Amino acid sequence: MAVAAETGRLSIIVPTLNEAGTIKMLLTTLQPMRMRGHEVIVADGGSADETAGISLPLADHVIDSPRGRARQMQSGAAIASGDILWFLHADSHPPVNSDRIIQDTLQANSRHWGRFDVRFSGNGLRMGIVATGINLRSRITGIATGDQGIFVSRALFDSISGFPDIPLMEDIALSKRLKQHSRPVCLHTRLMTSPRRWQQYGYLRTVLLMWALRLGYFLGIPPAELARHYAQ
């Protein structure tokens, strides 16, 4: 598949839903990147809190979108003007020079997509083991997760029609589409994210749930059915 080369401007797309407690920290981190000419798009799925109001002065676009990460990120991509799309979760804390890392990576590489390694905030041994497992599994399988900050050239994203319209496993589905072009560039640079779901539901329960959902997806269970279990 031939893909046009990117020239380097990023569109950073953040799906949100009731993220008033986290979004300001991320968007503040992204302000130097805006000063360097990149754009930030917040795609909100109908927050009932102050997420949109907090985001407005810190983003180039804050848009209303049908709820669901895949739909929200697809809506953000639809209005993006950058050459590279970078998808971030609202509780992510990327390195301040992430834009330059992404630019240099894609300019030096024939592969047009990639992701960061992930680490969880705090110094807990268990979460360190989880992060190591996520990063290793991603290197082996070529599948990236949303926590890892997937980035992709706009040309390649458009050529595969972006995210499928599914309520869960959108990151895995996108990775499978992108792998038809190439395996991802797996950066060792670490993007920090919050362990809040693990803390809320418990370490062991969350590990088992994630394994079960991933196995179910690969066995062909519809994402809508998996989503019902994820929300419980």
Side-chain angles (χ1 to χ4, degrees), residues 24 54 63 131-132 135 152 173 175 184 190 196 198 206 219 232:
K24 185 174 183 179
I54 294 170
I63 63 172
T132 298
N135 297 329
V152 56
S175 294
R190 295 202 166 200
R196 57 184 175 172
W198 305 80
T206 304
L219 291 176
Q232 292 177 357

Side-chain angles (χ1 to χ4, degrees), residues 69-145:
R69 273 187 177 150
R71 291 179 175 181
Q72 290 169 234
M73 291 187 287
Q74 196 76 359
S75 296
I79 68 162
S81 60
D83 312 293
I84 301 166
L85 306 179
W86 184 24
F87 300 98
L88 283 178
H89 288 178
D91 58 356
S92 296
H93 304 287
V96 295
N97 62 338
S98 297
D99 55 332
R100 290 169 173 152
I101 294 172
I102 292 171
Q103 289 173 317
D104 291 345
T105 296
L106 293 184
Q107 288 171 3
N109 204 294
S110 60
R111 291 176 285 176
H112 296 268
W113 73 290
R115 55 78 171 162
F116 291 79
D117 270 359
V118 68
R119 72 180 180 92
F120 292 97
S121 55
N123 297 313
L125 176 61
R126 289 188 300 183
M127 295 314 301
I129 293 172
V130 170
T132 298
I134 290 172
N135 297 329
L136 179 60
R137 181 182 64 219
S138 177
R139 281 191 167 80
I140 293 172
T141 63
I143 299 294
T145 66

Side-chain angles (χ1 to χ4, degrees), residues 39-54:
E39 74 174 344
V40 174
I41 300 169
V42 173
D44 190 67
S47 293
D49 62 10
E50 296 301 316
T51 298
I54 294 170

Side-chain angles (χ1 to χ4, degrees), residues 19 64 90 110 168 187 191 222:
E19 294 287 358
D64 294 323
S110 60
L168 194 67
L187 298 176
L191 185 156

Side-chain angles (χ1 to χ4, degrees), residues 146-161:
D147 285 336
Q148 293 174 303
I150 298 171
F151 53 88
V152 56
S153 74
R154 179 60 184 263
L156 177 56
F157 184 84
D158 287 346
S159 75
I160 63 160
S161 301

